[in-house]
Amino acid sequence: VQLQASGGGSVQAGGSLRLSCGVSGSFFSTNTMSWYRQAPGKQREMVASVTRYGDLKYEDSVKGRFTVSRAEDKDTMYLQMNSLRPEDTGVYYCNAYVWSSKWSIREDNYWGQGTQVTVSS
């Protein structure tokens, strides 16, 4: 199973970016998918998550600015980031819990490679 994240870049404060994360490989289904970010010198933190059934969670500082969603196939996740601030700068990682088969008794957890987001003031 592989997660491929894309969509990062450099923008000025107030701008927007849209990140994408696709899950590929051999698996049965995906469950909760999340976006994390890691700023320089800081720990990785959860930014937003979406369950397979559409339940959403956001880190407080991004509420009202970021929107997480999933494609109808459930195996692609997006993060629409609006009103970006310099403090949103960091490497953004996607994370997914995946059922490897319909007989699996627990999910496996996977990380994608990071995509850099840089917001200048």
Side-chain angles (χ1 to χ4, degrees):
V1 175
Q2 290 187 325
L3 275 62
Q4 182 69 42
S6 62
S10 297
V11 296
Q12 291 192 326
S16 298
L17 285 172
R18 190 187 195 212
L19 306 183
S20 299
C21 174
V23 184
S24 63
S26 178
F27 60 94
F28 178 64
S29 70
T30 54
N31 197 354
T32 300
M33 297 183 71
S34 305
W35 288 101
Y36 286 74
R37 68 184 175 194
Q38 188 164 20
K42 294 188 176 181
Q43 289 189 332
R44 192 175 297 187
E45 62 176 355
M46 196 276 288
V47 175
S49 68
V50 53
T51 70
R52 182 174 187 83
Y53 305 102
D55 297 320
L56 308 175
K57 286 186 180 179
Y58 293 98
E59 193 268 330
D60 286 345
S61 71
V62 309
K63 287 179 180 177
R65 301 187 298 123
F66 290 11
T67 302
V68 63
S69 62
R70 291 172 74 153
E72 284 201 16
D73 66 3
K74 305 297 185 185
D75 298 334
T76 303
M77 173 179 62
Y78 305 101
L79 185 67
Q80 178 66 43
M81 304 186 293
N82 298 327
S83 302
L84 282 161
R85 305 168 180 169
E87 53 265 38
D88 294 319
T89 294
V91 179
Y92 283 68
Y93 298 90
C94 58
N95 177 277
Y97 283 89
V98 177
W99 295 99
S100 60
S101 77
K102 63 180 179 180
W103 299 284
S104 297
I105 60 172
R106 63 175 176 83
E107 303 144 304
D108 296 315
N109 188 248
Y110 295 91
W111 290 92
Q113 93 292 358
T115 184
Q116 177 71 43
V117 171
T118 303
V119 184
S120 58
S121 57

